[in-house]
Amino acid sequence: MTHVVEVNGLTKAYGDVKAVNNVTFKLEADKIYGLLGSNGAGKTTIMHMLTAQQFETSGTLRVFGEHPYENNHVLQQVCFIKESQKYPDNYNVRDVLEIAADLYPNWNREFAMSLVEDFQLPLKRNMKKLSRGMLSSVGILIGLASRAPLTIFDEPYLGLDAEKRQLFYDRLLEDYAEHPRTILLSTHLIDEVGTMLEHVLLINRGQLLLDEETDSLRGRAFSVSGPAVAVERFIAGRTVIDRQQLGGLVTASILNNPGSSSGQSEAESIGLAVAPVSLQQLTVYYTRLQNRDTSSNKGAK
Amino acid sequence: MNRTSTVVRMHLRKKLNWLLVPVAVLLSSFIINVLIGAFTDDPIYTGGLSSIFVYMMVMGIITFAQTFPFALGMGIRRLDYYRGTFATGLLTVLVFAVFLFLMSMTEGKWTNYWGVRLHFFELPYWSDGPIINRLWIPFVLLLNMFAAGILIGTYYRRFNKTGLLIGALAIVLLGTIASFVIGLNDYWTNIFNWLQDQTMTGLALWTLPITLLFSAVSYLLLRRCT
């Protein structure tokens, strides 16, 4: 089958600096992907290239089987909502929504209007006068109501409070269930969206570190907690990715060694409390691991 | 679905900015001149008309800066944006040309210079020649100004502040060298003689290839704008 997105050796270089370095991945239809990574990792650049708003230095790029540059067949199937989106100053919310309705073939007016109410958006207010949170709400609204086969959200909720963010997740999942599409979501609030993501792409320093189903990624690690002595004895010889102590109580996150069986039942048998490790912890671990490797490599040179 | 017409519709959501504002600027200058004319006996010749031409260039710059990042973010092709924006510009320029034509006729033919000897829309040299000149000459000149605005807008978007600075310096440098070379070879007299021989028709026709050049270059720049 053809993939919604196929990226091969994608690179974006600014002089010597490679913002995106030889990235290869594929997105399947009707799945929710998380594009994770720290600031400046290259997430936004990748998303811009997917929509031909920036140009790749090298590598190949296929969206719905074609290159997106100046390609209406591709572009009208993609809705890209970014935190930094600029709107004309003198356009009000209604203007922007009408234009979006004009542009996206699957736009649903009723859904859009219900979202206007949910997010309490003032239709007649100029975009220039919206608060940061309202501006984000407009983006989210367009991203949802456009029902584009490929919907890309890049940090869509700057300035949004927890209640509105939850509203976004709820509406997204509800609508996704009825109208499946491919969603690529980039965010820093990993634990908030962790349960939503089916597949994770982790980017650091322009390189792709992980490209894995969320469940299998979670299965790689677990955390144990209990009295310090018992925990210390248990974690000896295991890969510890995080360790926290509170009084005599230690919580340690452990990465399963490849090939060996998971130590969860063993931990339970000696009376330690076992819990899953959050996606956020795992991404932080892998990101730090790469940062350490690259800096120690530099030291060796 | 035609996405070029979507771009036109996008621009025309703000008809006020496209049409009423420049006309309001022009008319306010006009009214002040009429009032002055009412209090003086001398005929008044004024260049207030030029405001609409300057405005048309500003319009090109602002429109591009305001709407292009939005259009690109909404998945509009650069080509569709370009065509839709120029179509809107053409439409606006046409409306203004008809407006200027009617005002010129009203001033010179239908009222006796508004009864106050004010020459605002109908000026010597500018309005010389057949009546139809008063329609198409403003049209091609306004279009030229709009194309210049779009060119500046795309150039800035493509090359940023440093690019604009380098471009401006390059123009100044080339101008200096050119005027030096012209002076060295005593070409100035020829140039002024040529200019003196030109009618308004001739000058207006000369803007056509320039407008075409501006439009072509701005499209090439736009294709690489991000």
Side-chain angles (χ1 to χ4, degrees):
Chain A
M1 71 170 264
T2 58
H3 291 84
V4 172
V5 172
E6 278 188 76
V7 158
N8 214 321
L10 191 67
T11 300
K12 174 76 181 178
Y14 296 100
D16 286 342
V17 184
K18 284 184 173 163
V20 174
N21 190 358
N22 198 18
V23 166
T24 300
F25 65 86
K26 286 173 182 163
L27 302 187
E28 288 168 20
D30 304 340
K31 273 174 86 169
I32 301 184
Y33 288 84
L35 183 58
L36 311 177
S38 44
N39 293 327
K43 305 185 296 282
T44 303
T45 311
I46 290 176
M47 293 173 158
H48 273 102
M49 288 191 284
L50 289 180
T51 49
Q53 294 183 31
Q54 281 181 26
F55 306 120
E56 65 272 22
T57 309
S58 61
T60 59
L61 175 62
R62 289 280 172 275
V63 181
F64 295 107
E66 296 169 25
H67 197 280
Y69 180 65
E70 293 295 84
N71 189 331
N72 273 341
H73 168 70
V74 174
L75 292 177
Q76 62 187 1
Q77 294 189 71
V78 183
C79 182
F80 176 25
I81 299 303
K82 53 178 182 262
E83 172 247 310
S84 59
Q85 179 62 55
K86 295 219 169 53
Y87 299 94
D89 289 342
N90 56 351
Y91 280 48
N92 63 25
V93 176
R94 187 188 295 279
D95 289 325
V96 169
L97 296 186
E98 299 273 334
I99 292 164
D102 219 355
L103 282 169
Y104 295 106
N106 296 344
W107 183 268
N108 187 290
R109 214 167 271 272
E110 271 169 43
F111 186 34
M113 281 304 137
S114 80
L115 289 167
V116 166
E117 274 188 23
D118 288 343
F119 283 95
Q120 296 157 1
L121 279 173
L123 283 176
K124 287 181 181 164
R125 195 174 301 176
N126 269 5
M127 296 305 290
K128 200 182 176 180
K129 292 190 174 141
L130 294 185
S131 69
R132 185 60 247 187
M134 283 178 175
L135 217 51
S136 297
S137 301
V138 173
I140 283 171
L141 198 159
I142 295 171
L144 292 176
S146 61
R147 288 187 179 154
L150 173 60
T151 304
I152 304 176
F153 288 106
D154 183 16
E155 299 284 352
Y157 32 50
L158 198 72
L160 272 197
D161 56 55
E163 188 264 329
K164 291 280 185 341
R165 292 204 299 272
Q166 193 57 51
L167 189 64
F168 166 53
Y169 306 139
D170 292 346
R171 292 291 173 274
L172 177 63
L173 286 176
E174 282 164 21
D175 202 57
Y176 172 75
E178 281 179 43
H179 304 273
R181 49 198 133 156
T182 308
I183 289 165
L184 182 62
L185 175 64
S186 128
T187 178
H188 287 128
L189 305 173
I190 298 169
D191 279 348
E192 270 192 24
V193 299
T195 53
M196 216 159 63
L197 305 178
E198 294 171 74
H199 195 111
V200 168
L201 300 163
L202 176 65
I203 306 279
N204 191 44
R205 302 187 173 198
Q207 288 172 314
L208 190 65
L209 290 189
L210 290 175
D211 177 1
E212 202 170 332
E213 296 293 307
T214 314
D215 286 343
S216 94
L217 188 59
R218 279 218 186 81
R220 282 202 203 178
F222 62 99
S223 82
V224 293
S225 52
V229 187
V231 172
E232 295 300 345
R233 193 179 311 133
F234 179 75
I235 62 177
R238 296 178 196 267
T239 314
V240 178
I241 63 177
D242 187 47
R243 186 182 177 284
Q244 278 169 11
Q245 186 156 11
L246 198 71
L249 191 75
V250 171
T251 304
S253 303
I254 293 156
L255 198 67
N256 290 322
N257 291 324
S260 72
S261 68
S262 158
Q264 296 189 28
S265 49
E266 192 191 329
E268 274 167 348
S269 70
I270 60 167
L272 296 175
V274 175
V277 165
S278 78
L279 202 54
Q280 180 151 324
Q281 271 183 338
L282 275 168
T283 57
V284 168
Y285 167 72
Y286 282 109
T287 303
R288 285 191 179 151
L289 195 67
Q290 195 213 13
N291 288 349
R292 204 169 52 218
D293 286 355
T294 42
S295 53
S296 63
N297 280 348
K298 270 180 196 157
K301 278 175 194 169
Chain B
M1 190 171 63
N2 187 340
R3 289 165 83 88
T4 298
S5 65
T6 305
V7 176
V8 175
R9 278 198 295 278
M10 174 184 85
H11 287 310
L12 289 184
R13 296 194 79 81
K14 295 294 145 191
K15 292 185 197 75
L16 203 73
N17 289 59
W18 285 89
L19 297 174
L20 289 188
V21 175
V23 170
V25 170
L26 190 67
L27 286 187
S28 58
S29 161
F30 170 68
I31 288 165
I32 291 168
N33 276 292
V34 171
L35 289 177
I36 295 170
F39 290 106
T40 55
D41 292 334
D42 298 328
I44 297 177
Y45 294 91
T46 164
L49 186 59
S50 59
S51 74
I52 199 164
F53 292 88
V54 175
Y55 189 90
M56 207 59 217
M57 181 164 84
V58 174
M59 194 73 212
I61 300 173
I62 291 179
T63 298
F64 184 80
Q66 286 277 319
T67 59
F68 178 71
F70 173 62
L72 192 67
M74 298 292 280
I76 294 173
R77 273 195 315 176
R78 292 164 180 83
L79 178 62
D80 288 323
Y81 177 81
Y82 179 83
R83 290 198 294 217
T85 305
F86 259 101
T88 315
L90 265 172
L91 208 67
T92 312
V93 162
L94 186 67
V95 171
F96 287 161
V98 170
F99 170 73
L100 293 180
F101 172 75
L102 290 176
M103 290 306 271
S104 170
M105 294 300 285
T106 313
E107 180 171 296
K109 306 275 179 211
W110 302 332
T111 71
N112 187 19
Y113 298 95
W114 316 101
V116 293
R117 305 173 78 188
L118 171 64
H119 297 253
F120 192 92
F121 293 99
E122 197 230 67
L123 298 161
Y125 191 72
W126 170 250
S127 309
D128 287 354
I131 293 290
I132 194 70
N133 282 7
R134 302 182 191 191
L135 184 64
W136 74 263
I137 289 177
F139 179 82
V140 297
L141 290 185
L142 284 165
L143 195 61
N144 182 260
M145 296 305 275
F146 182 71
I150 296 286
L151 177 63
I152 294 169
T154 46
Y155 184 86
Y156 179 72
R157 181 87 193 163
R158 180 75 181 82
F159 297 113
N160 283 319
K161 285 194 187 93
T162 31
L164 204 63
L165 192 71
I166 291 168
L169 285 176
I171 288 172
V172 169
L173 197 69
L174 284 176
T176 312
I177 292 171
S179 75
F180 178 72
V181 170
I182 291 167
L184 211 65
N185 294 297
D186 261 343
Y187 288 154
W188 280 120
T189 337
N190 298 349
I191 289 173
F192 281 118
N193 283 341
W194 182 83
L195 279 174
Q196 248 167 4
D197 291 343
Q198 293 303 304
T199 57
M200 198 57 223
T201 307
L203 289 179
L205 285 175
W206 270 109
T207 66
L208 286 177
I210 297 170
T211 306
L212 212 61
L213 180 73
F214 284 175
S215 316
V217 172
S218 53
Y219 178 61
L220 292 178
L221 290 171
L222 184 69
R223 283 185 58 87
R224 299 303 297 172
C225 277
T226 54

